[in-house]
Amino acid sequence: MFEVFRKELDWAGRKLVLETGKIARQADGAVMATYGGTTVLAAVVFEKKPKPGLDFFPLTVNYQEKAFAAGKIPGGFFKREGRPSEKEILTSRLIDRPIRPLFHESYRNETLVVVTTLAHDLENDPDILSMVATSAALTISGVPFMGPIGAARVGYADGKYIVNPTKAQMETSVLDLVVAGTKEGVLMVESEAKELSEEVMLGAVMEAHRSFQPVIDAIIQLAEHCAKDPLPLTDPSEASKTVAEKLKSEMRGKLVTAFAETQKQARQAKIGDVKAEAKKLFEGDDAALAAFGEQFGNLEADVVRNAILDTGKRIDGRDTKTVRPIVAEVGVLPRAHGSSLFTRGETQALVVTTLGTGQDEQIIDALEGEYREHFMLHYNFPPYSVGEVRRMGSPGRREIGHGKLAWRALRPMLPSKDKFPYTIRIVSEITESNGSSSMASVCGGSLALMDAGVPMERPVAGIAMGLIKEGDRYAVLSDILGDEDHLGDMDFKVAGTEKGITSLQMDIKITSITEEIMKVALGQAKDGRIHILGEMAKGLGGAREGVASTAPRITQFTIPKDKIREVIGTGGKVIREITEQTGTKIDIEDDGTIKVAAVDAKAGQRAIDWIKGIVAEPEVGVIYTGKVVKTVEFGAFVNFLGARDGLVHISELAPRRVAKVNDVVKEGDQVKVKVLGVDDRGKVRLSMKAVDQETGEDISNKPVDVAPAAGE
């Protein structure tokens, strides 16, 4: 019934299995891939005819995790998978980015890739396997895909690279780098690092590229046995050729003049005028008008790219290495815990840091298990930032991806949770955009963190690099504009400190780039990053002493584990009373760590004293101030240490014979008592007569003149 094709190989110490022909047979291409104990299914379907009128490639990639893959039942009321998690969105982007440039340029058919995690061994992350499975499914599907690609993760520990590290190995790694590429070169890089040098990063990229070559070979061998016939592609129409030739001959000069305008809005207006004039050349010719948009875009690319390669001058008049003017400001919002306004040319980010407590941590329910995240970075890109009018909604994949990139860049420089027990949230509002708003978020985020008093190890800056490549000629561009990103061949973002790289992301729009180009780009990016750090230092060079007055002060201390129950109280009664009366937030961890957060220092100290009083043990011979809570015939009960009460026997109330307890004390009186002893049942014996009630001095060893009782 099934015609199964299977390919196995040993890869980085584990078995990789690619199998097709048994599951999802109605898809154009479907591959089930297993690595270690992790299994994913990648399915590809595409329309057999192009959608008319499209001037872009309609590719959709959806990665989805099923809870059953880890033997779990989803949480929530409906008990089924719902909206995509951040991990699913980021993995979808991770798969999309390296495969998109490898489809034939004339292919406009709607294409859908669905990758499903079927089993997760909690050691091998499904993301790399998903990229491999997708590559294999596309290669056998008959879609015009110029692959296959391979992918690998690389870690770095003890001076050695680790290919496809397990979850346990990643805990000691100072690098988390994902690379995808073809036989010829690298297509995509995504990473987080602990201040690693350009040489180490480049070495890691090339190590990954070498490591996945056997995977590419295996996919090719699988395809030789079961690949479908490739979809025939139509040649560019005569109308397209005619439009391209006419635009080049009649409109190229005007477009060159329009691109000579250095100011973004003015330049866009002039280009719009040229486009409107050019469109009139083809009025009445439906075939020509259908091809116009794509061909005008091709002419724009030709003008910009050749101008850079021929003259070394860019759209805004800069050379290839110059960074746009920078203004770095901090403390721009009075009530925020930390804020900055970072402006670089026509790109601007308003970034705000908010400090919270453990109760503000984000709870993440992942296949690997539930965990808490105390550092969040949220990136927003409102339409006004690029002068557009469009509907606003929840964050899209782009916003999620850009926010995660900035998060990766800043996280390695944050203090540990033990040293700085705050939950940190950064919000980056992009208020202007003309290239590299994610790197502006890194720079602004670093400034806002330091403005909030977060003791970062070092400031972090980021820069976006571009590439124009025609044949053997190429130019690497520092601090790219939006148009250079759109019309160029590479988007290469590098973030880090003066000591090294903390994050690196690269996307290629051509088939691949060489090690030589990457080396040039990394070196040029380092020079740009150091320059940006210098400009940031003019606004703020290091973290402020202490957090802002509007931020909560967190005091951390430890109590014995067996005392946690007493601090919480029955049904949370005690801890609720403390927080309500002091206005503080209190976190209690299982190991006995207590964190008390309060904006008012006096309120915080009151809560701390209250808790310490609850857990403190009375010391024999020590004098305490207490409150009489009950009187009986034989003495008075005094609350003297948190919730701890002790008995002052009638004989210990005063340095004379006492007939009635109420002759000396009444309920509610404040008294000073000395601890005489604690019996084996925990009952405490107290004395008032051993303490001078005025001064609190211990007088138990001093001779006392006792006045005779009345009538004696």
Side-chain angles (χ1 to χ4, degrees), residues 264 340-342 344 346-352 377-387 390 392 398-399 402-403 406 427-445:
K264 179 185 175 183
S340 71
L341 185 67
F342 180 83
R344 185 189 60 244
E346 295 164 310
T347 296
Q348 185 181 76
L350 175 64
V351 190
V352 182
L377 193 150
H378 298 143
Y379 166 102
N380 297 311
F381 192 85
Y384 67 76
S385 65
V386 286
R390 55 180 163 82
M392 295 181 67
R398 179 182 179 277
E399 283 88 346
H402 278 40
V427 178
S428 176
E429 296 287 338
I430 304 305
T431 50
E432 290 184 47
S433 182
N434 186 14
S436 191
S437 55
S438 62
M439 294 297 96
S441 299
V442 171
C443 300

Side-chain angles (χ1 to χ4, degrees), residues 394-712:
S394 57
R397 288 187 174 189
R398 179 182 179 277
E399 283 88 346
I400 300 292
H402 278 40
K404 192 66 174 182
L405 173 59
W407 180 89
R408 288 192 180 106
L410 292 169
R411 189 174 74 144
M413 290 297 99
L414 292 179
S416 67
K417 194 175 174 183
D418 292 338
K419 295 180 180 177
F420 192 74
Y422 286 87
T423 296
I424 304 170
R425 183 187 184 225
I426 295 177
V427 178
S428 176
E429 296 287 338
I430 304 305
T431 50
E432 290 184 47
S433 182
N434 186 14
S436 191
S437 55
S438 62
M439 294 297 96
S441 299
V442 171
C443 300
S446 181
L447 290 166
L449 284 167
M450 294 188 296
D451 186 48
V454 179
M456 295 180 69
E457 291 185 37
R458 273 168 293 281
V460 180
I463 186 170
M465 313 296 293
L467 174 71
I468 304 294
K469 188 175 187 297
E470 295 287 350
D472 293 331
R473 294 199 304 162
Y474 71 88
V476 175
L477 313 178
S478 295
D479 182 24
I480 57 174
L481 302 172
D483 286 339
E484 291 170 337
D485 184 8
H486 175 64
L487 301 173
D489 297 320
M490 177 180 75
D491 184 10
F492 189 53
K493 298 183 175 76
V494 186
T497 68
E498 62 183 4
K499 290 186 65 177
I501 294 171
T502 58
S503 183
L504 188 153
Q505 184 187 83
M506 182 181 75
D507 291 301
I508 302 297
K509 300 173 188 176
I510 53 180
T511 53
S512 63
I513 65 167
T514 63
E515 182 178 0
E516 176 196 352
I517 293 175
M518 284 192 64
K519 189 173 183 179
V520 171
L522 281 168
Q524 202 165 309
K526 181 178 181 180
D527 294 339
R529 185 174 81 243
I530 297 302
H531 167 74
I532 295 170
L533 284 168
E535 295 299 299
M536 289 167 56
K538 295 177 182 178
L540 186 62
R544 299 192 188 281
E545 288 291 333
V547 298
S549 60
T550 52
R553 263 52 173 191
I554 295 182
T555 303
Q556 181 173 300
F557 57 98
T558 304
I559 64 171
K561 290 183 182 180
D562 58 359
K563 296 290 184 179
I564 294 176
R565 183 180 298 177
E566 295 179 30
V567 175
I568 294 174
T570 304
K573 178 182 177 182
V574 175
I575 196 71
R576 193 162 51 246
E577 182 183 5
I578 298 172
T579 56
E580 287 174 357
Q581 292 196 21
T582 62
T584 58
K585 286 186 176 182
I586 301 171
D587 295 330
I588 304 177
E589 298 179 7
D590 292 341
D591 64 354
T593 300
I594 304 279
K595 296 174 187 174
V596 176
V599 175
D600 184 340
K602 291 183 178 178
Q605 191 58 51
R606 184 182 169 201
I608 292 167
D609 293 342
W610 195 330
I611 294 170
K612 287 184 175 180
I614 292 173
V615 303
E617 292 292 339
E619 296 182 44
V620 175
V622 175
I623 294 172
Y624 298 90
T625 298
K627 179 181 178 181
V628 178
V629 293
K630 186 178 181 182
T631 58
V632 290
E633 289 184 3
F634 53 83
F637 288 96
V638 176
N639 174 232
F640 70 99
L641 187 61
R644 182 65 68 97
D645 293 344
L647 173 66
V648 180
H649 190 267
I650 191 170
S651 63
E652 294 291 337
L653 284 173
R656 66 179 187 273
R657 182 174 177 275
V658 176
K660 292 182 178 180
V661 172
N662 287 335
D663 290 343
V664 181
V665 293
K666 296 179 176 63
E667 288 186 17
D669 286 353
Q670 293 285 332
V671 297
K672 294 179 175 59
V673 293
K674 179 180 178 180
V675 177
L676 299 179
V678 182
D679 66 19
D680 53 6
R681 292 178 296 173
K683 292 185 178 181
V684 183
R685 293 184 296 109
L686 303 173
S687 172
M688 284 176 55
K689 73 179 184 181
V691 185
D692 187 319
Q693 294 298 309
E694 293 293 330
T695 65
E697 181 185 359
D698 186 345
I699 56 173
S700 57
N701 296 321
K702 291 184 178 181
V704 178
D705 294 328
V706 180
E712 289 186 1

